[in-house]
Amino acid sequence: MKKIIPILLLPLLLTACELDYYPTNAMTSGQLADNPASAVYSTDGNYSMFKDHLEYKGTVYTGNSYIRHFFQMSEFHGDNVTLSHKTEDPLYDEICYSDLVTANPNAYLWWCAYHIIYSANSIIESLPEGRSPVYDHILGENYFMRAICHLNLATLFAKPYSMGRDNMGVIIHTTTEDNVSVRATVGAVYDQVRDDLIKAAALMAADESRVVNHGYISHDAALGLLSRVYLYRGENELVIETVNGMLNGAAAASKLDPDCEGYFAHALASPETLWAVAHTQGTEDPVGRETMGSMFYTPDEKGVGGWAEMYYSDPLVKLFQRHPEDRRYTGYCEQLKPDPDGKLQVRWAVESRNNDSFRLNEIRDVEQTDGNYWFMDNDTKYNITAEKDNRDTKYYITWNGVKTEVFIDRKCYTFNTCPAFMCKKFTGQDGVALLCSPVMIRWAEVILNRAEAYAKTGNVAAALADVNTIRERAGLTGDALYTESNMQDAGYADALDVVLDERRLELCFEGHRAFDLFRNGLSMDRRFAGVQPWEVIDHTDNRIQYRIPYDEISVSGIPQNN
């Protein structure tokens, strides 16, 4: 354990986006205490650090932002996305579970998170409680920021709480005087996060006048995030108690935005949002290539607006296509250049010819005769057979003498044999392509947190009721809603399986999937087409933890994840 001069104390010039504020690292706690009004501007500065392209190692790079790296690092370890081709972008290492200690996303996110934590600590130290309800709310906002940064670091750089409290977590900083870096235990990190959120909620309860939109942290945002923390800690009764208290007798459905397809485009104003990182027109790269949604979507056929190289994975598309009327599918999954005549194509993953660890697709145009699908290949007719698997319909061909599962979809643009099923969750705010305010916590997740807690405490009926609340908002009815008698018919062994699939459908691309599996002791099957390795990743695999940045290891000497 070495004494260090924290990197957080180095001067940093912050470029405000339509905000005028004092960077808290440029002001001591004493200066803030002498001028408490400056805490308002400094807190606004803390919000901006979640989204701004901060100067890092002497350079401002438009691809560097806390929110962009966090969403990509958390989502790319999952099985909802497929990468269509090899790239020199560090995201390739993220999706392949081969991140480097020198990787820029790891290093920037680690550095920025601790910078936000330091700045929040400056305000926490400067403002005594009870000065006024408004100042108490500001204090609460900073306790929340400190909590969510520590939590996000723990989910990315440490093992899940469910795997043991004594595993190595991340560094805890609760004062600006911290000049010793040591990796606390996972248990200690989660204890600190829990305590900060309880404190934050208490401080923000009396006055919510600052919450003019959901870009500002609120009392309910703190409680919503607390329900996530309790869930991760396995404290299911506390999850249920917290969510019930938030609802205060209201129906869960009343907290969901009825505009399912338009929710993300107006998340800042939607009552479903508990906290989003606010972006406004002019605060994002106008070209769109470095925005949150660029990798997932392009608004034009030539790909000028976004890169659109990350698509819905085959298993995620398959799960949605159980009920293709699902508004989350029709509203947010868009094929690039779909065939105007509705022609179909069939595809299946094949072994690489170059001994690569991944697989790409064979693709053929499909014909249909009397309800039967077939295609021609080198003058040979291949019939596609359909088989029922619970509620799923699976399609097969015999290829090279082997029964092989295939996928039939509307013909569309394919990039490196991967059909371009693009995600639109991060576009369309204010009618601007690729402008969005990424949602960090929302009511749909909170309701599903309770559903998972109900499932784990044996209250199957309540768990399914919460799941059905989410599904009804997505326009699903009848047999698409689950009961204790029909969930086995849908292929589910128990209510927890139902909840985890619903979390996948509702929260896809929002950074939850990998952690949802691993914290529940489940493996992740990534055997689908794309240039990520064709493999099953067990929850005990040490690769699920990102590597601690080299800069941190070399200065403080803390242990590396191996």
Side-chain angles (χ1 to χ4, degrees):
M1 187 168 67
K2 300 179 182 178
K3 290 276 186 178
I4 63 169
I5 300 174
I7 200 170
L8 308 175
L9 297 177
L10 298 177
L12 176 69
L13 296 178
L14 304 178
T15 304
C17 299
E18 299 185 353
L19 287 172
D20 183 16
Y21 62 86
Y22 302 102
T24 53
N25 64 302
M27 301 182 71
T28 67
S29 297
Q31 289 172 320
L32 283 164
D34 291 339
N35 181 17
S38 64
V40 176
Y41 301 105
S42 296
T43 299
D44 286 345
N46 291 349
Y47 281 111
S48 286
M49 284 193 281
F50 283 96
K51 64 179 179 179
D52 281 352
H53 312 299
L54 306 181
E55 182 179 321
Y56 177 61
K57 293 186 176 181
T59 302
V60 176
Y61 165 50
T62 55
N64 271 342
S65 72
Y66 179 101
I67 192 66
R68 183 174 188 262
H69 288 322
F70 171 71
F71 267 75
Q72 291 190 349
M73 289 173 69
S74 55
E75 187 63 37
F76 291 175
H77 265 193
D79 56 1
N80 289 332
V81 297
T82 188
L83 178 59
S84 58
H85 73 120
K86 287 185 175 180
T87 173
E88 294 180 356
D89 192 296
L91 67 84
Y92 181 73
D93 295 318
E94 295 168 11
I95 202 166
C96 291
Y97 278 73
S98 59
D99 62 298
L100 306 173
V101 295
T102 55
N104 182 66
N106 300 36
Y108 182 88
L109 184 133
W110 180 277
W111 168 84
C112 188
Y114 282 112
H115 198 83
I116 295 168
I117 289 168
Y118 176 86
S119 299
N121 283 336
S122 294
I123 296 172
I124 291 169
E125 292 171 359
S126 71
L127 286 179
E129 291 180 38
R131 183 182 289 270
S132 76
V134 171
Y135 282 129
D136 278 354
H137 197 284
I138 291 170
L139 267 178
E141 293 168 54
N142 284 280
Y143 273 105
F144 178 100
M145 292 185 206
R146 187 169 80 180
I148 199 169
C149 285
H150 279 116
L151 178 63
N152 290 346
L153 287 166
T155 57
L156 292 173
F157 293 99
K159 293 179 179 179
Y161 185 96
S162 57
M163 294 178 66
R165 281 181 55 90
D166 294 332
N167 287 318
M168 285 190 299
V170 295
I171 300 165
I172 299 174
H173 280 313
T174 56
T175 78
T176 58
E177 299 302 318
D178 285 339
N179 61 356
V180 175
S181 290
V182 61
R183 289 186 70 173
T185 65
V186 167
V189 175
Y190 274 81
D191 288 350
Q192 184 63 54
V193 171
R194 174 202 60 198
D195 293 346
D196 278 352
L197 291 173
I198 291 172
K199 183 77 169 179
L203 286 165
M204 291 187 285
D207 187 314
E208 295 271 66
S209 59
R210 272 178 54 80
V211 187
V212 295
N213 62 46
H214 296 294
Y216 286 91
I217 295 160
S218 65
H219 169 263
D220 275 359
L223 291 179
L225 190 61
L226 183 61
S227 77
R228 182 192 299 177
V229 173
Y230 284 143
L231 186 70
Y232 289 0
R233 290 168 61 95
E235 296 171 328
N236 298 305
E237 296 292 353
L238 288 175
V239 176
I240 296 166
E241 178 184 323
T242 300
V243 178
N244 288 345
M246 293 173 66
L247 287 168
N248 193 28
S254 69
K255 301 297 185 180
L256 300 177
D257 195 320
D259 184 9
C260 184
E261 297 94 333
Y263 164 68
F264 288 96
H266 62 257
L268 281 183
S270 173
E272 180 173 337
T273 306
L274 293 170
W275 183 50
V277 176
H279 290 71
T280 57
Q281 192 168 355
T283 66
E284 281 280 317
D285 175 10
V287 176
R289 287 294 181 103
E290 308 300 343
T291 58
M292 272 288 303
S294 172
M295 291 307 302
F296 303 122
Y297 181 75
T298 182
D300 55 78
E301 293 182 356
K302 297 180 180 179
V304 174
W307 294 103
E309 297 168 350
M310 308 286 296
Y311 307 134
Y312 281 69
S313 67
D314 287 341
L316 181 59
V317 171
K318 182 178 177 180
L319 186 61
F320 270 119
Q321 287 182 346
R322 284 183 176 180
H323 299 284
E325 73 276 16
D326 191 319
R327 294 166 63 191
R328 298 168 296 189
Y329 183 56
T330 60
Y332 293 110
C333 182
E334 180 178 312
Q335 290 181 278
L336 182 60
K337 297 176 67 174
D339 186 272
D341 298 321
K343 292 181 180 178
L344 300 177
Q345 62 186 13
V346 62
R347 56 191 163 85
W348 64 98
V350 295
E351 295 279 0
S352 170
R353 296 181 178 87
N354 300 314
N355 296 317
D356 292 312
S357 62
F358 56 83
R359 298 185 187 182
L360 295 174
N361 287 310
E362 292 280 359
I363 302 178
R364 303 290 187 275
D365 289 346
V366 170
E367 302 293 337
Q368 186 174 12
T369 305
D370 298 327
N372 297 312
Y373 298 116
W374 55 275
F375 65 90
M376 297 296 297
D377 185 77
N378 293 329
D379 297 326
T380 300
K381 182 178 181 180
Y382 287 84
N383 292 309
I384 303 172
T385 59
E387 296 181 10
K388 290 295 290 185
D389 181 10
N390 297 308
R391 290 190 182 180
D392 290 336
T393 299
K394 294 183 176 180
Y395 295 96
Y396 297 93
I397 60 171
T398 300
W399 184 254
N400 293 332
V402 178
K403 183 179 180 180
T404 303
E405 185 175 6
V406 298
F407 297 89
I408 300 175
D409 301 298
R410 185 179 182 182
K411 187 175 182 179
C412 71
Y413 175 83
T414 58
F415 193 164
N416 200 23
T417 78
C418 293
F421 286 86
M422 304 183 297
C423 176
K424 296 170 61 179
K425 279 191 173 182
F426 304 106
T427 187
Q429 180 178 312
D430 301 326
V432 179
L434 298 176
L435 177 62
C436 73
S437 292
V439 178
M440 298 292 274
I441 180 78
R442 61 188 177 102
W443 267 105
E445 183 211 333
V446 170
I447 294 166
L448 289 170
N449 291 346
R450 186 175 70 169
E452 185 172 335
Y454 277 139
K456 289 177 175 177
T457 55
N459 193 340
V460 174
L464 296 181
D466 278 345
V467 166
N468 288 335
T469 294
I470 301 296
R471 293 177 72 77
E472 286 171 337
R473 191 268 295 267
L476 299 176
T477 60
D479 289 341
L481 304 180
Y482 295 114
T483 66
E484 294 183 62
S485 60
N486 76 6
M487 67 180 183
Q488 278 82 21
D489 295 336
Y492 293 112
D494 53 39
L496 180 59
D497 288 346
V498 176
V499 173
L500 291 178
D501 260 6
E502 199 60 34
R503 289 181 70 90
R504 185 179 194 181
L505 293 168
E506 179 66 29
L507 304 175
C508 61
F509 299 92
E510 297 176 52
H512 294 270
R513 175 63 177 172
F515 202 66
D516 280 352
L517 290 178
F518 296 142
R519 66 182 171 80
N520 278 295
L522 301 172
S523 298
M524 181 166 54
D525 191 342
R526 301 177 103 213
R527 292 174 296 181
F528 49 82
V531 296
Q532 64 285 333
W534 180 277
E535 62 180 337
V536 176
I537 299 174
D538 190 75
H539 73 284
T540 60
D541 193 321
N542 285 331
R543 292 179 299 159
I544 71 173
Q545 306 166 90
Y546 277 95
R547 306 270 286 168
I548 305 293
Y550 172 78
D551 289 347
E552 179 65 57
I553 297 290
S554 63
V555 173
S556 67
I558 62 172
Q560 180 58 273
N561 291 326
N562 294 311

